[in-house]
Amino acid sequence: MPKCTIDGKEIEVKPGENLITVAKRAGVDIPVFCYHPGLTVVAQCRMCYVEVEKMPKLQTACSTMAAEGMVVKTQSDPVVKGRAGTMEFLLLNHPLDCPICDKAGECDLQDNSYGHGSAYMRHSEERRTYVDVDMGPVIEKNMNRCIHCTRCIRFGEEVAGIHEMVAIKRGNNIDITTIDGNPLKTEYAGNYADICPTGSLTLRDFRFRKRAWMLKKTATVCEGCSKGCNMEIQHEGNVIYRCVPRENLEINKHWMCDEGRFNYHYTQDPTRVLTPRSGEATIGWENAIQNLKDLTDGKKITFLVGSDLTQEELATVQEYINAYQKGSSIHHFGTDGVSESVDDGQADKILKMKSKTSNLSGAEKLGIKSISHLKTATDVVVVIRGGRADLNVALKQVQGKKLIGMGVFLEKEISTFSLVLPGLAFTEKEGTIINHAGIEQKIKRAIVPKNTVKAVSEVLMLAANKKAKEAVV
Ligand code: SF4
Ligand code: SF4
Ligand code: FES
């Protein structure tokens, strides 16, 4: 394999690798703005200057391919001076308003200015100013902070498949905007805020709600569809403030859709049912478990399980049926029009899948059949869902039956249930899910659940204990 030398370290290079990637492997961080590993290279910010032996001028590392025998310096005097010059130029028009900027604490411009810029300014010209603009429901633009890196324009064209961001006018008057000032149309708009290296494009849902450095981060998987995009839940004080994509080149690369990004809101909905209910009355868990036993003991029951439950939860329900509800049936439900994984497929050309639940393949792997195979339901039906499975798909099959609900529900969803046993949302539990391509992944607990809700396994264990005890007596 060819080798090159970066800051005195010899390192092997793969064909087509640029100097930024090779340097990273060598433990050398080269500052960038316009370069993003998921977008084409345009080399226009000039932040990634390096010195390459035998080349007369400084080179941009993002657009220079590593080659055999190349000797690269990333910390030489010309490089340091070149980067400082770039920073000075980029900050000519910047308002330097980090204390009131939502990006502060996670801003490349702030970090690179601190690491490579100068503490002094040499100009006192008036800066250009623009007013903030809503670019639709997801993104707010503050053009004063823009450094014209064009990452957003390239994201739209190359990833979201929509040419909606453009640079109009030129020079000092340049403006990054949508065509004709229209609101952003893509269903992947949140990624604009992720990739903008400054506070120019920020998430309206997150703005001014929490400083970035206060957030704790939990690496998990989106439950929004069967794609299984990797994401991070960012939270503080047991409250989720935002979800952002995590790189997984095999599944979602660097991106996630807005539906998945904002899906977590239902878990914090003030109308989420958090205490057991018998009809409209709130009851304690002791009574709730007794009611569950009274309604199900010794009977054959139809169990409908959401394909939004984890493998562990589904397997627990199967074991419970085998041990305590012999002769009962179990079927999965999730998305209208997607009964089985053969009905699943791409919902768009980017990431979204038709199945709006995360574990359809997992339910099938456990041998659970779809609700479309349910012929006649028993008089009592137990519906267990994680929170994402479409209740209407289950309920239209079991109209007029006595319903017991377990899992996550909102007030408006429980009017037809006789008994509701509130459970854990995907943000509050650990478990395994299997995506549409058969890739097994783990979801992680980010939030400590309220002590009035219980895991499916705990509810079934309490019910089993009660049955066992009463059998002895
Ligand atoms: S808005 Fe952000 S991503 Fe777009 S060009 Fe400006 S700095 Fe770059
Ligand atoms: S494509 Fe699916 S898994 Fe990925 S972020 Fe969107 S909803 Fe979540
Ligand atoms: S990151 Fe290389 S020129 Fe912008």
Side-chain angles (χ1 to χ4, degrees):
M1 222 181 226
K3 286 181 184 157
C4 73
T5 306
I6 296 189
D7 291 346
K9 290 182 202 163
E10 200 176 60
I11 180 143
E12 290 191 340
V13 298
K14 294 179 201 138
E17 266 189 325
N18 68 11
L19 288 177
I20 290 179
T21 318
V22 178
K24 204 170 187 180
R25 272 215 319 281
V28 176
D29 206 21
I30 298 176
V32 300
F33 286 119
C34 66
Y35 174 72
H36 187 286
L39 302 173
T40 52
V41 173
V42 287
Q44 59 191 59
C45 74
R46 323 308 283 181
M47 191 62 208
C48 62
Y49 279 145
V50 291
E51 204 180 342
V52 181
E53 234 175 63
K54 296 188 190 139
M55 288 192 174
K57 295 180 186 170
L58 293 177
Q59 301 297 310
T60 47
C62 63
S63 61
T64 307
M65 296 305 128
E68 170 65 29
M70 209 176 230
V71 178
V72 182
K73 291 180 194 157
T74 74
Q75 302 296 334
S76 65
D77 282 349
V79 169
V80 170
K81 217 172 149 195
R83 286 179 191 162
T86 296
M87 276 313 308
E88 186 176 15
F89 188 61
L90 289 175
L91 291 177
L92 280 182
N93 264 314
H94 193 274
L96 307 178
D97 58 348
C98 302
I100 55 148
C101 177
D102 218 46
K103 194 82 170 185
E106 55 179 4
C107 176
D108 294 346
L109 190 62
Q110 197 178 40
D111 293 348
N112 287 343
S113 167
Y114 186 71
H116 307 279
S118 163
Y120 302 98
M121 307 220 67
R122 289 187 290 171
H123 86 110
S124 53
E125 305 300 312
E126 198 172 318
R127 288 150 204 249
R128 62 177 193 188
T129 48
Y130 300 82
V131 289
D132 286 5
V133 175
D134 286 351
M135 301 182 98
V138 179
I139 296 292
E140 177 110 0
K141 180 180 78 162
N142 177 313
M143 191 60 206
N144 299 332
R145 301 176 184 142
C146 176
I147 57 166
H148 324 132
C149 71
T150 70
R151 276 189 185 185
C152 52
I153 298 174
R154 282 174 284 144
F155 171 80
E157 282 181 17
E158 297 167 14
V159 181
I162 180 164
H163 181 58
E164 57 182 350
M165 287 284 231
V166 287
I168 56 166
K169 306 184 195 151
R170 289 297 177 260
N172 201 42
N173 297 320
I174 199 167
D175 187 5
I176 305 290
T177 178
T178 50
I179 294 172
D180 295 335
N182 290 326
L184 292 166
K185 287 200 188 76
T186 175
E187 293 174 354
Y188 291 77
N191 297 288
Y192 284 124
D194 300 335
I195 56 162
C196 179
T198 76
S200 298
L201 302 178
T202 51
L203 219 50
R204 294 184 64 193
D205 188 59
F206 174 72
R207 272 164 73 83
F208 307 129
R209 290 181 63 219
K210 193 55 74 180
R211 301 301 340 215
W213 55 87
M214 297 176 86
L215 294 167
K216 295 171 194 72
K217 297 165 181 178
T218 303
T220 186
V221 180
C222 174
E223 66 146 10
C225 77
S226 60
K227 187 76 180 178
C229 295
N230 289 207
M231 73 171 190
E232 199 169 80
I233 296 179
Q234 300 192 345
H235 53 97
E236 209 262 326
N238 222 30
V239 175
I240 300 174
Y241 287 94
R242 67 177 172 187
C243 292
V244 296
R246 256 186 325 126
E247 180 184 299
N248 183 324
L249 297 180
E250 201 182 348
I251 298 177
N252 54 301
K253 299 193 170 67
H254 314 270
W255 324 113
M256 72 186 298
C257 74
D258 294 341
E259 186 178 346
R261 185 184 295 266
F262 301 123
N263 169 56
Y264 76 89
H265 277 297
Y266 82 88
T267 68
Q268 303 185 150
D269 191 304
T271 69
R272 178 175 159 192
V273 179
L274 292 168
T275 47
R277 301 286 174 86
S278 172
E280 292 193 352
T282 297
I283 54 172
W285 271 104
E286 182 66 28
N287 281 342
I289 299 294
Q290 184 64 47
N291 286 0
L292 175 64
K293 182 192 160 292
D294 293 345
L295 287 167
T296 59
D297 208 10
K299 294 183 190 142
K300 286 184 184 163
I301 302 285
T302 299
F303 281 82
L304 300 181
V305 287
S307 44
D308 53 354
L309 295 172
T310 63
Q311 288 301 83
E312 292 78 2
E313 288 172 317
L314 293 170
T316 303
V317 179
Q318 285 179 309
E319 283 164 22
Y320 178 81
I321 292 172
N322 288 340
Y324 299 99
Q325 299 286 165
K326 285 203 184 347
S328 295
S329 67
I330 178 166
H331 293 85
H332 67 75
F333 70 97
T335 311
D336 200 13
V338 184
S339 310
E340 294 169 350
S341 53
V342 289
D343 308 321
D344 199 7
Q346 290 281 144
D348 64 19
K349 289 186 182 152
I350 309 165
L351 296 172
K352 289 191 196 195
M353 298 295 293
K354 289 185 196 159
S355 168
K356 292 295 164 204
T357 55
S358 57
N359 198 28
L360 177 58
S361 300
E364 288 180 353
K365 199 172 173 194
L366 288 169
I368 301 172
K369 289 217 155 35
S370 157
I371 192 169
S372 60
H373 293 274
L374 175 67
K375 295 210 166 60
T376 323
T378 53
D379 290 341
V380 175
V381 175
V382 177
V383 180
I384 311 178
R385 72 175 319 212
R388 183 85 185 153
D390 185 349
L391 263 188
N392 294 327
V393 174
L395 299 188
K396 71 183 175 199
Q397 292 275 90
V398 294
Q399 276 170 10
K401 307 292 181 184
K402 197 174 252 311
L403 299 177
I404 299 170
M406 252 186 243
V408 179
F409 299 88
L410 303 183
E411 289 283 356
K412 64 182 180 202
E413 294 172 324
I414 61 167
S415 58
T416 50
F417 284 83
S418 305
L419 179 66
V420 176
L421 306 154
L424 307 184
F426 81 106
T427 54
E428 300 162 346
K429 64 190 176 189
E430 312 251 322
T432 310
I433 54 175
I434 301 176
N435 84 347
H436 72 104
I439 301 173
E440 199 172 293
Q441 303 193 92
K442 300 284 178 202
I443 58 166
K444 293 280 177 204
R445 177 162 119 165
I447 294 296
V448 180
K450 294 258 184 307
N451 61 6
T452 51
V453 302
K454 289 192 190 300
V456 170
S457 56
E458 190 180 354
V459 174
L460 296 182
M461 185 192 70
L462 289 170
N465 275 350
K466 200 168 259 301
K467 287 178 187 187
K469 263 192 215 152
E470 290 182 14
V472 171
V473 174

